[in-house]
Amino acid sequence: FRKMEQEMLKCLFLGFGLQKIRYPCSKKDPFPGEAPIPHKQLQKFQRGEKYKVPAGARRRLKEAIISSEAMSELAQKQAARYDLLLPEDAGFLEGDEDEDTNTISQDDIADAVDITSGSKYFNLHLSQFGPYRLDYGRTGRHLLVGGKKGHVACIDWQSKDLMCEMNVMETVNDVKWLHTEAMFAVAQKRWLYIYDSKGLELHCVKKFNDVLRMQFLPYHFLLATASATGFLQYLDVSVGKEIAAVCTKMGRLDVMSQNPHNAVIHLGHPNGTVSLWSPNQKEPLVKMLCHRGAVRSLTVDKTGTYMVTSGLDRKLKVYDIRAFKPLHSCFLPAGASCLSLSQGGLLSAATGDIVQVYQNVLGSSPVSKPYMAHRLRGQIWGLAYCPFEDVLGIGHGEGFTSMIVPGAGEPNFDALDTNPFRSSKQRQEWEVKALLEKVQPELIGLDPGQLSKVDQASFEQRHKEQVEALGFDPLAKDKFKPKTKKKGRSSAGAIEKRKRKVAHEDQRDEIRQTVQERTERDKEQKEKSNEKKKLGNKSTLDRFRK
Amino acid sequence: MKVKVLCRNPDDYVRETTRDIQRVPRNYDPTLHPFEVPREYTRALNATKLERVFAKPFVASLDGHRDGISCITKHAKSLSTVISGACDGEVKLWNLPRQECLRTVQAHEGFVRGICSRFCGTSFFTVGDDKTIKQWNLEAPGYGVREEPINTILGKAVFTGIDHHQRESTFVTCGQTVDIWDEQRSSPIRSFSWGVDSFSCVRYNPVETELLASCASDRSIVLYDTRESAPLRKVIMQLRSNTLCWNPMEAYYFTCANEDYNLYTYDIRHLDVPVTVHMDHVSAVLDVDYSPTGREFVSASFDKTIRIFPKDKGHSREVYHTKRMQHVICVRWSADNKYVLSGSDEMNIRLWKANASEKLGLLSTREKAAAHYNKKLIEKFQHHPQVRRIARHRHLPGDILKQKREQREMKEARRRREQNVRKHSKPGSVPLLTEKEKHVAAVVE
């Protein structure tokens, strides 16, 4: 008995260092090997497809690809396992058996949840200065409201702490936070103004005139503005220079959204088209015809796969942006003037003074009834979800309303990217790092991962030049040479047999080459004969022919 | 109704006191981290630029010799001692951390042709132009006692190189013949020769300790086995090799420094074609030494530069030069893989960092992690044109740059001429030789 005790103690101490715990009696681990990871979780961290080893690759290339694929798999598994440690869960709202969730009012929800969550439903009665546009900061802490008649205020909405409030004495078309809560941009009647969070005017950018809408691209530090004169302009806020001014030639640019996955700007036009722009081209990247009437509002989801648009033809359409295909459309009795997609995939559509929130819009089937609905006092002018909270901010004619939408926000944030609880020191450090890895605007395109792909065209060009320069192809496969020291099997007949086994491969390449050459030659000859025919038929009497 | 709204308790996300570290909850979901590839590319670009900014390889210069330095050797057991021999017969022992000379010995009259230290770390051997082999004590003699060698052996001809066995008390010298000596005897126990009048360098294989290689004056490299009575085989090249060095990690590879401005790595099993041809120097390569990891080697050349090559690449990754450093005669890589020592014509030994932008000294874990991350980023994006342009950029002295351009033109001209000859002659009559095949003349068993 004592022996067993001693052995068990030994195993306990050893088990701290080893992965496998050896039991004193020869029992086997009932769950041998690694813990399994659910496939969906693993898929979440998959980036691109596995790279296949190309046929005819050299040994070094094969080894490099195999080892790098193994590393990627390990990284994927480790990231998927870490998902267990995420602290928060998403919110939800479920009605009783015969109760529809869209009949539940905000007051009921606020009463049913705890005090802090309940205080997230509040109204700011600002009926004097016109319908309000709003913007939440990236961390979801700070709220910026701008009324059409000139009232601009920024508040920390969770503590209701007023950071600044002023009236700029001009029409305010749009307001946007810049990269931190220290600066914001206001598109006023004539020019673009940049203010400090204390309300001090920092810059008046006269190059940007008649700005109607703005979008901030956080990883490029670019403020994209759409103007009433049809210009799409990009301002680099870290350097203070205008990067690009694109003349869209499509009239007044009223509807604007960004694709957070690839930083492409989406503009909606009165003829029903949606165009996609990048600062590197004078023409749109893509033009899509989306609606029969004018496009009233559009929004793109955070993965850059789906785009939701609403138009004057009272339709709400969902498109797959990667393949540019329509997925489904549904009919709204009154067209939605504002659309917004949350981090959790909830779509909010505003028509007049009613806001409706839809769930599972981006799935395969169209949605019949809304998840939640809320009626407000004034006409809705702006709609935005708060980034990491279950809150929807609504700017309307009578002020600002904050509405509780369970399930809207992303429950777990990454503190190295955006941390709502950051201290000022952490914010300063983050700002420096973000500026150092600011992405250059030349890299904005439809596929953000293009830098990681092999540039096949320029490789082939270089290979051609190399073959010309050297006189032979260094990458060509050598013809099969059989080994001649095969312990009695190296007679002439045996060598011929071995050569014949592999001969068909070499032959196939040769045949392919000759066939290609022949077809090219035939093509050339045909073209030449066609030209000759054309020339041969010409004569001076042609002008009299009918 | 059942309802749950996201509500975070700040106590879980904010640190308790200012003495704690900050809390950093992570979520690795790729949708929260867009633009992975462009951001990593920008970080790689920054890392490459910073690497060039911090590339300051020169550490120290050891001053004191009164004639050019002809050979250096490392202490077998201590990282901080180095022994160097000069062309006026002086041998100096140096302490590297304090960069001062510990001891000076007038070892020979004439050049000190070779030095090697014994594996036990208590003595070292020198050979010189006065046809003697002397064994000296590594400890300094007491006060007032004259500096005397432990042992002196007189030979018949000038010895040009010496190397000591890794474990046994035998050493090998080369001069007119390659001789294997036992420390107790005063005549060689075995002599190898193959119709050659002089050998310039001999080296023991550090892994397969019975193998030897030597560079001969008939442009060949001869391989020996001490268990056999005759040399194994030799490979004859176009031009003479000055020195050679065995790869300390792979027993069958050695690299020789040749007069035709190249270095050749050979596999002793297939001597007909070199494994790699390393080209970058613009003048004769005089010395070569491998790093203890066996992945890189350093070469010293008559063109006043030293270059560091990866073992499998044809071009150098680094070049070190100074206005004050003249023709570099000998070079050694320190045993902790961090430093390179070069001895040159103008009486100075220079200490360089093997990785030019490495931070010396004790690094914190965060610094180490950042250094590893930057290194991996540069490796990942090394083929992108902007990153490659910055990573490759090295300043070269004016004459070397001019020489390089000239040599490139000459090479292009020769290649064009060969192509023209091949085009205008019967197909197959002018054989196509790869770069590797061009340099070996013959292999003799």
Side-chain angles (χ1 to χ4, degrees):
Chain A
F1 184 75
R2 237 181 148 196
K3 246 193 180 178
M4 258 181 67
E5 251 193 20
Q6 277 183 356
E7 280 200 55
M8 282 181 76
L9 279 174
K10 220 201 286 176
C11 286
L12 271 175
F13 277 116
L14 283 174
F16 276 74
L18 298 171
Q19 283 220 350
K20 275 195 217 161
I21 301 175
R22 280 193 221 103
Y23 298 94
C25 21
S26 54
K27 270 196 191 159
K28 285 206 179 143
D29 186 1
F31 304 102
E34 288 182 349
I37 311 170
H39 186 69
K40 236 188 174 181
Q41 237 172 37
L42 210 55
Q43 279 301 101
K44 192 164 79 150
F45 295 95
Q46 174 102 7
R47 289 158 168 91
E49 287 143 21
K50 290 212 171 178
Y51 199 77
K52 277 180 248 156
V53 181
R58 299 281 173 93
R59 196 195 75 193
R60 247 197 221 166
L61 178 63
K62 253 191 222 170
E63 285 173 5
I65 290 177
I66 290 171
S67 71
S68 98
E69 282 293 328
M71 285 276 116
S72 307
E73 257 194 63
L74 177 67
Q76 194 187 354
K77 277 196 197 147
Q78 298 286 68
R81 276 187 209 285
Y82 186 83
D83 257 7
L84 278 174
L85 300 173
L86 295 174
E88 302 280 343
D89 290 317
F92 57 86
L93 174 66
E94 280 167 29
D96 294 333
E97 282 213 352
D98 52 352
E99 195 187 6
D100 244 347
T101 51
N102 52 21
T103 53
I104 303 173
S105 72
Q106 286 289 304
D107 291 310
D108 291 341
I109 297 177
D111 288 333
V113 294
D114 53 298
I115 305 178
T116 1
S117 313
S119 68
K120 291 181 182 170
Y121 166 58
F122 63 93
N123 288 302
L124 294 178
H125 296 290
L126 310 159
S127 46
Q128 257 191 321
F129 291 106
Y132 279 79
R133 279 244 154 89
L134 70 139
D135 187 35
Y136 281 102
R138 276 208 86 211
T139 52
R141 264 264 136 104
H142 308 276
L143 168 66
L144 181 63
V145 285
K148 207 156 172 64
K149 299 206 175 84
H151 178 214
V152 174
C154 55
I155 39 179
D156 177 347
W157 65 273
Q158 282 174 355
S159 60
K160 313 291 187 298
D161 183 26
L162 183 69
M163 285 159 65
C164 90
E165 182 177 23
M166 57 189 174
N167 193 308
V168 299
M169 310 303 275
E170 261 192 331
T171 314
V172 165
N173 290 322
D174 201 4
V175 287
K176 237 346 164 244
W177 282 110
L178 296 186
H179 56 285
T180 47
E181 64 268 22
M183 294 200 281
F184 58 89
V186 178
Q188 293 179 204
K189 179 173 163 209
R190 287 190 78 185
W191 298 308
L192 177 71
Y193 288 77
I194 298 188
Y195 293 90
D196 183 43
S197 61
K198 294 220 177 9
L200 296 168
E201 180 187 320
L202 295 176
H203 302 279
C204 166
V205 191
K206 292 199 180 163
K207 258 202 160 181
F208 289 63
N209 53 335
D210 306 306
V211 176
L212 290 178
R213 297 293 231 155
M214 297 191 288
Q215 286 284 331
F216 187 66
L217 306 172
Y219 296 96
H220 303 75
F221 283 78
L222 288 178
L223 183 68
T225 60
S227 76
T229 50
F231 272 85
L232 175 64
Q233 288 168 304
Y234 289 83
L235 173 71
D236 187 332
V237 300
S238 61
V239 187
K241 285 208 184 111
E242 181 196 39
I243 295 290
V246 181
C247 177
T248 60
K249 298 185 190 122
M250 288 180 158
R252 195 181 138 99
L253 302 173
D254 217 353
V255 178
M256 186 188 197
S257 176
Q258 68 164 299
N259 182 340
H261 178 69
N262 58 9
V264 159
I265 297 288
H266 294 233
L267 294 173
H269 303 288
N271 56 2
T273 53
V274 168
S275 51
L276 275 62
W277 300 86
S278 103
N280 305 318
Q281 272 190 6
K282 293 292 171 193
E283 278 83 39
L285 296 167
V286 177
K287 256 203 249 183
M288 289 168 68
L289 179 64
C290 291
H291 286 278
R292 279 195 171 177
V295 176
R296 284 211 68 195
S297 173
L298 66 104
T299 180
V300 185
D301 84 317
K302 66 177 184 180
T303 59
T305 330
Y306 303 105
M307 176 173 77
V308 184
T309 61
S310 81
L312 271 182
D313 57 353
R314 302 190 203 155
K315 286 243 166 79
L316 182 82
K317 292 194 178 174
V318 179
Y319 288 87
D320 180 339
I321 271 292
R322 301 256 174 108
F324 302 107
K325 277 198 204 128
L327 286 180
H328 49 264
S329 80
C330 60
F331 182 76
L332 300 173
S337 65
C338 298
L339 287 175
S340 185
L341 267 172
S342 83
Q343 283 172 327
L346 298 179
L347 173 73
S348 65
T351 56
D353 54 354
I354 303 177
V355 163
Q356 289 172 324
V357 180
Y358 293 90
Q359 221 180 19
N360 298 328
V361 192
L362 307 175
S364 41
S365 52
V367 177
S368 49
K369 59 184 178 113
Y371 170 58
M372 288 177 72
H374 187 56
R375 195 201 186 95
L376 301 147
R377 294 244 196 101
Q379 285 288 322
I380 294 172
W381 197 238
L383 209 58
Y385 277 99
C386 182
F388 293 102
E389 299 283 340
D390 279 346
V391 155
L392 171 64
I394 310 162
H396 49 90
E398 295 291 319
F400 170 80
T401 302
S402 167
M403 179 183 154
I404 299 176
V405 181
E410 166 69 51
N412 300 294
F413 56 84
D414 189 13
L416 289 183
D417 192 42
T418 44
N419 184 355
F421 297 94
R422 64 189 179 191
S423 65
S424 59
K425 252 283 159 83
Q426 280 181 313
R427 193 199 71 227
Q428 288 163 2
E429 293 289 318
W430 167 86
E431 197 174 348
V432 170
K433 286 211 172 77
L435 281 167
L436 279 174
E437 50 180 54
K438 172 181 91 161
V439 183
Q440 293 302 315
E442 286 88 29
L443 302 177
I444 297 179
L446 282 173
D447 180 15
Q450 199 163 33
L451 277 178
S452 66
K453 303 209 166 95
V454 176
D455 188 2
Q456 193 65 22
S458 56
F459 167 73
E460 278 167 5
Q461 178 78 9
R462 253 191 279 147
H463 183 62
K464 247 197 237 170
E465 287 170 3
Q466 203 183 19
V467 169
E468 270 183 48
L470 289 176
F472 65 94
D473 186 1
L475 294 179
K477 232 180 15 167
D478 292 325
K479 269 204 163 165
F480 174 69
K481 279 193 210 127
K483 283 193 190 162
T484 50
K485 288 188 189 165
K486 280 260 177 184
K487 287 189 188 174
R489 283 169 260 149
S490 64
S491 65
I495 290 181
E496 279 306 305
K497 257 199 203 161
R498 262 181 278 140
K499 268 199 200 164
R500 236 177 282 150
K501 276 193 218 159
V502 191
H504 65 278
E505 287 184 18
D506 287 338
Q507 245 186 2
R508 212 188 295 153
D509 290 332
E510 275 189 46
I511 291 172
R512 206 183 297 146
Q513 251 194 337
T514 47
V515 164
Q516 235 185 357
E517 280 174 13
R518 209 182 293 159
T519 47
E520 275 175 28
R521 247 184 287 143
D522 285 338
K523 253 196 206 171
E524 277 186 46
Q525 276 193 356
K526 259 193 180 174
E527 280 177 24
K528 272 194 187 162
S529 63
N530 277 344
E531 279 186 38
K532 269 192 181 165
K533 267 191 195 167
K534 282 191 190 162
L535 288 173
N537 286 343
K538 284 199 188 147
S539 71
T540 44
L541 298 173
D542 272 347
R543 55 200 164 126
F544 298 115
R545 283 217 190 108
K546 281 191 187 164
Chain B
M1 65 168 171
K2 283 187 232 128
V3 60
K4 176 191 180 276
V5 176
L6 251 189
C7 183
R8 293 189 185 93
N9 184 355
D11 288 340
D12 296 336
Y13 291 94
V14 178
R15 62 180 178 179
E16 289 173 3
T17 63
T18 47
R19 281 163 170 261
D20 289 332
I21 55 170
Q22 299 279 7
R23 288 187 212 221
V24 179
R26 302 294 318 266
N27 185 351
Y28 296 105
D29 191 351
T31 52
L32 285 179
H33 302 276
F35 305 105
E36 281 175 339
V37 176
R39 282 160 83 189
E40 272 206 330
Y41 173 75
T42 315
R43 285 183 200 163
L45 212 52
N46 290 342
T48 322
K49 290 178 188 170
L50 284 177
E51 191 210 17
R52 291 286 91 221
V53 166
F54 292 127
K56 296 183 176 144
F58 181 67
V59 177
S61 161
L62 304 174
D63 198 15
H65 271 294
R66 284 177 296 175
D67 206 341
I69 289 130
S70 55
C71 44
I72 306 181
T73 188
K74 304 180 270 205
H75 190 284
K77 303 231 163 158
S78 152
L79 288 176
S80 50
T81 319
V82 135
I83 311 160
S84 65
C87 296
D88 62 352
E90 249 184 14
V91 166
K92 277 184 186 270
L93 269 87
W94 303 89
N95 180 316
L96 288 178
R98 277 183 272 140
Q99 290 149 26
E100 56 183 31
C101 172
L102 294 173
R103 200 166 128 223
T104 311
V105 177
Q106 183 62 39
H108 296 277
E109 301 162 355
F111 282 45
V112 177
R113 289 287 176 185
I115 304 190
C116 70
S117 61
R118 201 167 179 277
F119 61 88
C120 59
T122 52
S123 57
F124 64 93
F125 293 82
T126 63
V127 284
D129 261 359
D130 54 358
K131 308 180 191 171
T132 49
I133 307 171
K134 293 188 182 172
Q135 184 181 8
W136 306 84
N137 215 329
L138 264 167
E139 286 170 16
Y143 183 73
V145 180
R146 264 192 64 186
E147 187 80 59
E148 288 267 331
I150 303 171
N151 197 5
T152 312
I153 303 172
L154 296 169
K156 294 181 207 125
V158 173
F159 297 110
T160 50
I162 185 168
D163 197 21
H164 200 283
H165 196 277
Q166 294 281 68
R167 288 173 226 139
E168 296 170 14
S169 51
T170 49
F171 60 90
V172 63
T173 60
C174 64
Q176 285 195 345
T177 54
V178 171
D179 302 319
I180 300 182
W181 304 75
D182 191 304
E183 279 171 19
Q184 318 294 341
R185 306 255 195 99
S186 58
S187 58
I189 50 178
R190 189 170 291 151
S191 247
F192 294 105
S193 74
W194 198 340
V196 183
D197 62 354
S198 76
F199 295 88
S200 61
C201 160
V202 68
R203 291 271 184 267
Y204 264 114
N205 190 328
V207 183
E208 290 284 333
T209 48
E210 307 301 323
L211 288 181
L212 286 173
S214 69
C215 298
S217 64
D218 69 342
R219 308 172 278 127
S220 67
I221 298 176
V222 194
L223 289 176
Y224 310 89
D225 192 326
T226 50
R227 297 165 288 198
E228 309 229 342
S229 54
L232 285 176
R233 57 178 69 139
K234 73 156 118 178
V235 55
I236 306 177
M237 293 197 279
Q238 304 288 343
L239 288 183
R240 186 173 58 100
S241 296
N242 287 315
T243 7
L244 66 89
C245 183
W246 290 94
N247 188 327
M249 282 289 144
E250 290 170 336
Y252 35 83
Y253 283 156
F254 68 85
T255 303
C256 64
N258 210 320
E259 282 281 321
D260 69 351
Y261 316 167
N262 296 341
L263 295 112
Y264 300 94
T265 304
Y266 281 97
D267 186 335
I268 55 175
R269 304 167 291 189
H270 313 286
L271 279 176
D272 49 348
V273 171
V275 174
T276 328
V277 179
H278 308 277
M279 297 179 158
D280 248 346
H281 279 294
V282 295
S283 193
V285 191
L286 298 178
D287 198 6
V288 63
D289 191 33
Y290 261 93
S291 131
T293 62
R295 294 228 184 130
E296 296 178 314
F297 58 85
V298 61
S299 66
S301 155
F302 195 72
D303 72 350
K304 307 175 192 175
T305 59
I306 60 176
R307 280 182 188 264
I308 298 180
F309 291 82
K311 77 158 169 64
D312 46 2
K313 296 262 160 71
H315 289 280
S316 58
R317 75 157 168 93
E318 196 70 78
V319 55
Y320 295 157
H321 59 86
T322 331
K323 272 207 185 128
R324 291 195 168 197
M325 182 161 77
Q326 304 303 314
H327 311 295
V328 192
I329 309 292
C330 49
V331 76
R332 284 289 175 271
W333 201 309
S334 78
D336 61 352
N337 197 28
K338 284 201 177 165
Y339 300 100
V340 164
L341 287 147
S342 69
S344 56
D345 236 357
E346 28 69 46
M347 309 179 254
N348 269 341
I349 301 174
R350 285 187 176 79
L351 190 65
W352 308 82
K353 282 195 254 180
N355 279 322
S357 32
E358 186 186 13
K359 187 170 177 190
L360 298 174
L362 212 60
L363 297 178
S364 70
T365 32
R366 289 194 194 192
E367 280 181 299
K368 274 190 232 170
H372 286 152
Y373 182 56
N374 285 340
K375 208 169 101 174
K376 184 65 187 175
L377 276 174
I378 295 173
E379 187 204 308
K380 180 175 177 185
F381 287 93
Q382 61 184 298
H383 302 292
H384 281 71
Q386 293 303 318
V387 175
R388 193 175 70 211
R389 181 183 74 100
I390 296 171
R392 225 170 49 119
H393 177 258
R394 299 285 185 282
H395 174 257
L396 279 179
D399 346 316
I400 295 180
L401 200 58
K402 265 188 239 165
Q403 285 260 47
K404 253 188 133 48
R405 288 197 193 129
E406 220 181 282
Q407 283 172 15
R408 196 185 307 151
E409 267 190 57
M410 287 160 63
K411 206 168 155 190
E412 281 295 305
R414 265 185 235 130
R415 188 201 288 163
R416 246 179 285 129
R417 186 194 184 148
E418 205 191 313
Q419 272 198 27
N420 285 336
V421 166
R422 195 173 295 126
K423 244 196 279 176
H424 297 285
S425 42
K426 184 172 159 193
S429 61
V430 182
L432 204 72
L433 285 176
T434 61
E435 189 62 48
K436 292 182 191 173
E437 292 163 354
K438 279 185 200 163
H439 298 281
V440 174
V443 177
V444 186
E445 299 266 333

